[in-house]
Amino acid sequence: MRFQPIMLGAVAALALGACSQQQEVAAAPPPPPPGAVPGSVAADRDGDGIIDGYYTSDGIYHPNYAPPPPPPPPAPTRLGERG
């Protein structure tokens, strides 16, 4: 039995195996922050179903602008009603 063809095949396999590149395995992304809406950057922190703000790619929460409450009604006059 001749070992030359077997040795030649083994050397060729080692030579070609050294040139192959290993593929990097992607790591799983970290879990979303609390209150994040899956599949978006929106955030519902209090769980009422209304979007309260959003998360940036670095994980920082930014609240949406909340308009100030309406001004109070005017005070009643001192004169009262006339009848």
Side-chain angles (χ1 to χ4, degrees):
M1 180 175 206
R2 298 192 53 151
F3 290 107
Q4 186 176 10
I6 295 173
M7 292 298 287
L8 183 62
V11 169
L14 286 174
L16 292 176
C19 295
S20 67
Q21 296 178 354
Q22 296 291 331
Q23 293 181 354
E24 294 183 18
V25 177
V37 177
S40 71
V41 296
D44 179 19
R45 293 189 108 178
D46 55 3
D48 62 354
I50 299 172
I51 301 300
D52 302 326
Y54 62 95
Y55 286 100
T56 55
S57 61
D58 54 357
I60 298 175
Y61 174 74
H62 298 279
N64 287 339
Y65 172 73
T77 62
R78 293 186 153 251
L79 298 175
E81 291 186 27
R82 294 186 181 171

